[in-house]
Amino acid sequence: MTVRVAVIGGGVSGLTGAYDLRRLLGDDAHIDVFCADDSPGGILASATVDGLSLDVGAEAFIVRRPEARDLVAELGLGDEVVSPGGMRPAVWSEGRLHPLPSPALMGIPATASALGDLVDDAERHIVETESDREMHWTRGADVSVGELVADRFGEAVVARSVDPMLGGVYSARAHDLGLREAIPALAAVLDAGAPSLTAAVADVLSRPTGDGPVFGALRGGYRTLVDALVTAARADVHTGVSVRSVQTDGSAYDVEVGSAADRVDASGYDAVLVAVPVWTAGALLDEVAPPAADAFSAVDAAGSAVIAFAVDGPTPEQSGVLVASDAGDLSIKAITLSSRKWPHLAATDGRSVLRASIGRLGHPVTASDEELIARATADLGIVFCAAGLSAPRVRDAAVQRWPAGLPHYGPGHLSAMSAAIATLPAGLAVAGSGYRGVGVPACIGTARDGASRLAGHVNALT
């Protein structure tokens, strides 16, 4: 009998899962991919501004982690990987640009001097004397990053150094993010008995991290990866088809689709990979996996929006600008100066491309596209003028909304997700940004693990 597998979700997690299922189950397996959007890709989205394509979802991946690097190589895209240039981002605080603290661990400074003039003398003294104060740490404690850093280094360091770094990754502030979730290596060092936060940060930073660039991107944007995965998976990709639920009679799985039911046979699957946002997975699995569904549905979403710009004139000589969370003069939370950051996007004929982002956990983006562009344009003018430049002349702009873009990685999130996944019945697996990290490598890793789990289940049936 022909093996039938369903993949719910057409983002990088679902497409990677479909590719691996094809590789593991062979040419005869029937693989359906259900994608609610009009085209596959999910957060690997791009927009065209002034005739140029720019990623407006995920932008880069960590090349020192194997997941994305290995997948890109398998698909024959190794030559398409590009590295950022040597420019560094700046932090916007108190109406001006400051160098990003370095050395630092996700914004947690290794020394007081790393903070430069982001803090005043009294705030700097707290950091300088931190190792002289007794450290009260409970092994295995689930605390937030903000709680730890504020206690040891002060709230100013959280707002002006840690929040800007973590906000770009998780669309949330440090006080809302679990330490074990966001910086697991630091939690491990503290569990091992580090005498202070200063010592713990130094320990983590002293460990070898490999040679070469930390981040990479694809010359043609993430659309290149999406197209390669679709081709390699050789699956039936059903776009514009939403899924309402997953059901089972104990021997096979049925997928209830909300549209196009007349042209999709969505029943009798041997296995199902659910690769949609974690809260959506909770709704879909309510009947077949109630304990896991409850845990998945309880995860909050952090919405945001990205505004892509093509502008005339020079831009600040940084790779980007991260906005301190106590800076009340800007609406945006970050700027990626793409033409400065990525050599392959370098300005031509005086035209540059850049991205501005807005929104975070608890602060959904409700303004119209026109208002978002106007607010971001005004903020760009403020930042550019502070850098000694004229306000940029906008040639074109486009808005990409992510109303439920990223899952909230609060304290205890990882352990809750691990426990929930352990209750899934045989033949079901989940993948995506809600389980072991929000980045593209983490999504790829969960997809490959899920595909392996399902292939093992199917092979045991035959």
Side-chain angles (χ1 to χ4, degrees), residues 102-142:
S102 179
L105 177 64
M106 294 302 290
I108 306 176
T111 63
S113 61
L115 292 165
D117 57 1
L118 270 174
V119 295
D120 61 27
D121 289 342
E123 293 161 339
R124 184 177 293 102
H125 181 70
I126 296 173
V127 181
E128 289 174 336
T129 59
E130 186 269 338
S131 58
D132 298 331
R133 304 194 308 272
E134 185 178 357
M135 183 80 178
H136 299 286
W137 177 260
T138 301
R139 180 181 173 87
D142 274 326

Side-chain angles (χ1 to χ4, degrees), residues 93 107 109 115 118-120 122-124 126-127 133 144-164 173-176 197 324-327:
S93 179
L115 292 165
L118 270 174
V119 295
D120 61 27
E123 293 161 339
R124 184 177 293 102
I126 296 173
V127 181
R133 304 194 308 272
S144 74
V145 177
E147 178 185 355
L148 172 66
V149 178
D151 176 59
R152 304 303 298 180
F153 284 169
E155 287 287 0
V157 174
V158 176
R160 299 169 201 164
S161 187
V162 185
D163 274 349
R173 292 183 174 177
H175 279 290
D176 295 318
L197 180 57
S325 60
D326 64 353

Side-chain angles (χ1 to χ4, degrees), residues 149 299 368:
V149 178
V299 179
S368 67

Side-chain angles (χ1 to χ4, degrees), residues 223-242:
R223 176 53 52 182
T224 306
L225 177 61
V226 171
D227 292 344
L229 283 170
V230 170
T231 299
R234 303 191 308 281
D236 290 336
V237 180
H238 307 283
T239 57
V241 178
S242 59

Side-chain angles (χ1 to χ4, degrees), residues 30-60:
H30 180 89
I31 303 172
D32 282 320
V33 176
F34 296 99
C35 176
D37 297 328
D38 293 335
S39 61
I43 62 169
L44 304 189
S46 60
T48 300
V49 285
D50 199 35
L52 299 173
S53 179
L54 189 65
D55 285 326
V56 288
E59 178 201 28

